[in-house]
C-alpha cells in the first residue's frame, strides 16, 4: 500500500472510532493547573487550593443539550458527597458561554456547587483537551486525573468513580 493509501486508510479509520471510547491521554497524569472565580460569590479557587481533596471537574454550557441530562445528577452528587469541601468537591466550568446564560441555566437546574466560567479564549478547556461539552474529569487527592467521561455523566459513572477517588474500602485507585 502506498503512502496515499496508508493516509486514506488512517483517515477512514478515524471516522469509525467513537471519540467517547478513546481513553484520554491525561488519565494517570497530573491535572493541568487552573484558576477559577465562582460566578456567584467571586471566590477564587486554584488547583493548588484543592491539593489533598479529590474532585470532579465538569465542563458544560447553557446551550448544551446533553448538559441538561446530567445537571441534576451532578447536583445530586454534590449533595451526597460534596457537602464537606475538604472531603470531595464538585466543580463546574462553563465554556463558550456568558455569565448571564450560565447563571440562568444553573438556577433552572438547581446547581449549588462551585460554578465558574472559562475565559474568552477557553484556556482551561484547551489545557484539558476538550472535544466538546459535556466532559467530566475525576481527579484524586494528589491531583492526578483518574478518569475522564466524554458526554453526559450517568448515575452509574458517578457511583463508581467518586467513591474510588474518596478511597472507599475495596474501591480500586
Amino acid at each position: 500500500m502506498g503512502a496515499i493509501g496508508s493516509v486514506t486508510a488512517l483517515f477512514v479509520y478515524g471516522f469509525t472510532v467513537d471519540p467517547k471510547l478513546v481513553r484520554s491521554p491525561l488519565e494517570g497524569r497530573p491535572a493541568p493547573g487552573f484558576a477559577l472565580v465562582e460566578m456567584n460569590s467571586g471566590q477564587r479557587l486554584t488547583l493548588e487550593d484543592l491539593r489533598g481533596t479529590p474532585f470532579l471537574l465538569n465542563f458544560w454550557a447553557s446551550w448544551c443539550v446533553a448538559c441538561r441530562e446530567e445537571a441534576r445528577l451532578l447536583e445530586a452528587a454534590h449533595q451526597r458527597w460534596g457537602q464537606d469541601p475538604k472531603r470531595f468537591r464538585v466543580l463546574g466550568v462553563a465554556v463558550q458561554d456568558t455569565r448571564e446564560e450560565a447563571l440562568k441555566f444553573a438556577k433552572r437546574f438547581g446547581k449549588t456547587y462551585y460554578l465558574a466560567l472559562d475565559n474568552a479564549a477557553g484556556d482551561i478547556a484547551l489545557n484539558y483537551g476538550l472535544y466538546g461539552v459535556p466532559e467530566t474529569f475525576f481527579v484524586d487527592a494528589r491531583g492526578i486525573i483518574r478518569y475522564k467521561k466524554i458526554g453526559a455523566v450517568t448515575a452509574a459513572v458517578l457511583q463508581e468513580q467518586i467513591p474510588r477517588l474518596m478511597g472507599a474500602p475495596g474501591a480500586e485507585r
Side-chain angles (χ1 to χ4, degrees), residues 58-147:
N58 173 258
F59 290 92
W60 62 283
S62 64
W63 44 264
C64 165
V65 174
C67 298
R68 295 177 193 147
E69 296 170 18
E70 70 177 10
R72 287 191 169 79
L73 291 173
L74 290 166
E75 179 59 28
H78 169 64
Q79 293 299 323
R80 179 173 178 188
W81 290 291
Q83 292 302 299
D84 179 354
K86 299 229 183 281
R87 282 193 66 227
F88 184 77
R89 297 287 300 260
V90 176
L91 309 172
V93 176
V95 297
Q96 298 177 355
D97 219 330
T98 66
R99 181 178 184 275
E100 294 75 25
E101 291 300 315
L103 286 171
K104 279 198 292 191
F105 183 94
K107 183 176 181 180
R108 177 179 174 197
F109 289 98
K111 292 183 173 206
T112 63
Y113 52 90
Y114 189 101
L115 297 172
L117 281 174
D118 200 351
N119 63 25
D123 290 332
I124 300 170
L126 288 172
N127 289 340
Y128 278 79
L130 254 59
Y131 293 103
V133 289
E135 288 189 24
T136 304
F137 294 81
F138 295 81
V139 183
D140 72 16
R142 296 180 314 157
I144 305 297
I145 295 172
R146 294 297 172 193
Y147 184 76

Side-chain angles (χ1 to χ4, degrees), residues 1 3 10-11 22 34 42 53 68 80 105 116 142 147 152 159:
M1 181 184 290
L10 184 61
F11 184 71
V22 176
F34 54 77
T53 304
R68 295 177 193 147
R80 179 173 178 188
F105 183 94
R142 296 180 314 157
Y147 184 76
Q159 290 170 3

